[in-house]
């Protein structure tokens, strides 16, 4: 390469500028000293050029922006030449020093970002705020190596268009990193495409589920994969027979259908009334509703089945009274297993305070005892 200022090149003429203020003259002297020091030390030495790269980067924030004077122009030209240096460690030194400088010259950072060496390009792709989205889009469009896509996917802030471009490359690791990045804006059409592709990428499913504000319809579509995951995982276990596996998978599928079935205009309470009229407001319906935390449905179902006022049901559930909750479920004609679910999910009773079943499935209180607990809330025989 042509080393800096070794028998002066013929730079483009720079128009004369007004005398800089004292602070700028100080920076100018430091830039000049760095270049002279490097020339005297021998610009043929890669260590000297690496030192110059780091020193010029430290001075960048104090230089007038946009090559507004001769000193800035000289410094930028020196950095541009260093960014094309034939020794990798020189370019590495420059990339490491410039990656955190927001005012870094675009011509320098774009050269480094396109470097074929990972140790040079990766820090700039991942961290450099001076790298414009347009340049990043061009890099992504050029089908770079997977490590380059992953580096871009880790950036602190990523716009929707760049996220779409990264996801569109089809690189599983980079896409997974993008999904984990809360600083990445991912548009709904892109999320929808990734949900569909998650059938072939199990590692994406949990990442998608954790995305902020994931639309409900996509969450439900994502839940479709639970059927297969549950069946595959349980079949690998030694303790469950095929009938048990099938029952668990059917329950999972039914609960997904439960969430997908209602019209968006139908409230949980109206749905409870409709099922009650159809004779389908049973323990299975309550279990499915509780799996989706539909508290309104559960309260309405207990009101209808136990034949008590809605405010009384609210009073019992909000009191976190395990005996009264169990008695209410008993009055509704449901099992102790259901009572334990209601205690935990609808009444929010701590596991240590819950009233547990007797011998695995029986009510731990006698009918007389449960009647007395209900009387305390104004519920007669």
């Amino acid at each position: 390469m042509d080393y800096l200022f070794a028998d002066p090149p013929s730079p483009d003429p720079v128009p004369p500028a007004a005398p800089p203020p004292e602070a700028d003259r100080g920076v100018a002297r430091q830039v000049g000293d760095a270049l002279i020091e490097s020339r005297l030390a021998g610009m043929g030495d890669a260590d000297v050029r690496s030192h110059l790269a780091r020193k010029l980067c430290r001075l960048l924030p104090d230089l007038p922006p946009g090559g507004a004077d001769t000193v800035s122009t000289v410094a930028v030209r020196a950095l541009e030449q260093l960014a094309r240096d034939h020794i990798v460690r020189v370019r590495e030194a420059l990339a490491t020093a410039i990656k955190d400088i927001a005012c870094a010259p675009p011509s320098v950072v774009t050269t480094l970002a396109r470097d074929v060496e990972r140790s040079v390009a990766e820090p700039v792709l991942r961290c450099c705020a001076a790298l414009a989205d347009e340049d990043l889009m061009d890099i992504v469009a050029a089908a770079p190596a997977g490590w380059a896509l992953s580096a871009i996917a880790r950036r602190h802030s990523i716009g929707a268009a760049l996220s779409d471009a990264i996801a569109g490359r089809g690189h599983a690791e980079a896409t997974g990193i993008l999904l984990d990045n809360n600083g990445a804006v991912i548009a709904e059409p892109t999320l929808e495409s990734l949900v569909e592709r998650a059938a072939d990428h199990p590692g994406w499913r949990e990442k998608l589920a954790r995305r902020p504000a994931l639309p409900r319809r996509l969450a439900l579509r994502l839940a479709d994969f639970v059927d297969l995951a549950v069946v595959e995982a349980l079949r690998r276990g030694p303790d469950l027979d095929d009938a048990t596996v099938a029952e668990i998978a059917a329950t999972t599928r039914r609960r997904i259908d439960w969430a997908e079935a209602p019209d968006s205009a139908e409230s949980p309470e109206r749905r409870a009334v409709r099922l009650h009229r159809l004779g389908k407001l049973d323990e299975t319906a309550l279990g499915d509703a509780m799996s989706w935390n539909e508290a309104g449905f559960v309260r309405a179902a207990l009101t209808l089945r136990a034949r008590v006022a809605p405010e009384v049901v609210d009073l019992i559930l909000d009191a976190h009274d395990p005996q009264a909750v169990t008695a209410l479920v008993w009055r509704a004609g449901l099992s102790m297993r259901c009572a334990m679910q209601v205690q935990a999910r609808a009444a929010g009773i701590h596991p240590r305070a819950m009233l547990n079943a007797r011998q695995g499935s029986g009510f731990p209180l006698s009918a007389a005892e449960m009647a007395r607990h209900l009387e305390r809330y104004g519920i007669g025989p």
Side-chain angles (χ1 to χ4, degrees):
M1 64 177 282
D2 295 328
Y3 296 119
L4 293 169
F5 313 120
D7 282 73
S10 308
D12 296 333
V14 178
E22 184 59 37
D24 289 348
R25 284 199 295 271
V27 176
R29 280 196 297 271
Q30 292 182 64
V31 171
D33 290 346
L35 294 170
I36 293 169
E37 175 188 333
S38 299
R39 181 180 178 187
L40 293 174
M43 285 297 291
D45 187 333
D47 290 334
V48 171
R49 300 198 301 280
S50 298
H51 175 73
L52 175 62
R54 288 189 286 266
K55 194 161 190 176
L56 289 177
C57 285
R58 286 196 297 270
L59 295 172
L60 273 177
D62 298 318
L63 291 173
D69 66 359
T70 304
V71 176
S72 297
T73 301
V74 169
V76 170
R77 286 179 180 171
L79 289 169
E80 288 172 345
Q81 191 168 340
L82 290 166
R84 297 189 298 271
D85 199 284
H86 68 291
I87 301 295
V88 173
R89 75 172 182 272
V90 175
R91 306 199 305 275
E92 287 175 353
L94 176 56
T96 303
I98 210 168
K99 67 182 176 64
D100 296 319
I101 298 176
C103 62
S107 59
V108 177
V109 295
T110 53
T111 299
L112 294 170
R114 296 173 185 274
D115 202 289
V116 295
E117 295 291 337
R118 179 173 184 173
S119 57
V120 176
E122 189 172 48
V124 177
L125 290 172
R126 186 178 70 249
C127 303
C128 188
L131 201 55
D133 271 12
E134 292 78 8
D135 294 314
L136 290 165
M137 294 280 286
D138 288 344
I139 291 170
V140 171
W147 58 260
L149 285 172
S150 295
I152 297 171
R154 287 188 172 95
R155 289 177 68 84
H156 178 71
S157 178
I158 302 176
L162 182 55
S163 291
D164 184 60
I166 295 169
R169 295 310 313 174
H171 190 272
E173 180 185 345
T175 302
I177 292 169
L178 181 72
L179 290 171
D180 271 336
N181 186 351
N182 287 336
V185 177
I186 306 180
E188 189 168 325
T190 305
L191 281 173
E192 185 167 10
S193 170
L194 293 176
V195 167
E196 293 302 321
R197 289 162 57 194
D200 300 318
H201 297 281
W204 293 357
R205 296 172 195 170
E206 185 178 349
K207 300 173 188 293
L208 279 160
R210 289 199 305 262
R211 285 298 304 177
L214 182 71
R216 179 178 172 83
R217 66 183 183 84
L218 296 184
L220 294 174
R221 177 69 187 95
L222 193 60
D224 281 338
F225 302 127
V226 174
D227 297 48
L228 295 174
V230 167
V231 171
E232 290 167 4
L234 293 178
R235 280 183 176 156
R236 287 195 295 268
D239 301 325
L240 298 177
D241 56 29
D242 287 346
T244 304
V245 170
E247 181 182 352
I248 294 172
T251 299
T252 303
R253 176 69 263 170
R254 190 187 69 242
R255 288 183 175 174
I256 293 170
D257 291 341
W258 167 273
E260 290 177 326
D263 188 299
S264 59
E266 184 181 42
S267 69
E269 293 78 9
R270 286 184 176 276
R271 189 177 190 189
V273 171
R274 177 172 58 80
L275 291 178
H276 186 56
R277 288 173 177 167
L278 295 172
K280 295 181 179 180
L281 190 60
D282 54 15
E283 195 161 314
T284 297
L286 260 77
D288 291 345
M290 284 187 284
S291 74
W292 290 100
N293 295 318
E294 289 191 2
F297 180 93
V298 175
R299 289 173 184 248
L302 291 172
T303 296
L304 293 165
R305 287 190 60 100
R307 301 180 306 282
V308 296
E311 56 270 21
V312 175
V313 171
D314 291 343
L315 186 63
I316 292 174
L317 294 180
D318 294 341
H320 311 297
D321 181 343
Q323 287 83 8
V325 170
T326 300
L328 179 65
V329 174
W330 166 76
R331 180 182 171 94
L334 302 166
S335 71
M336 184 58 200
R337 180 181 177 184
C338 183
M340 293 178 67
Q341 287 183 296
V342 173
Q343 287 180 75
R345 293 178 176 271
I349 295 171
H350 191 278
R352 291 183 180 176
M354 282 173 53
L355 196 62
N356 292 313
R358 175 177 293 166
Q359 297 179 343
S361 60
F363 282 93
L365 304 174
S366 67
E369 287 174 316
M370 287 191 280
R372 282 197 297 273
H373 282 292
L374 291 174
E375 285 174 4
R376 291 168 46 214
Y377 292 89
I379 302 174

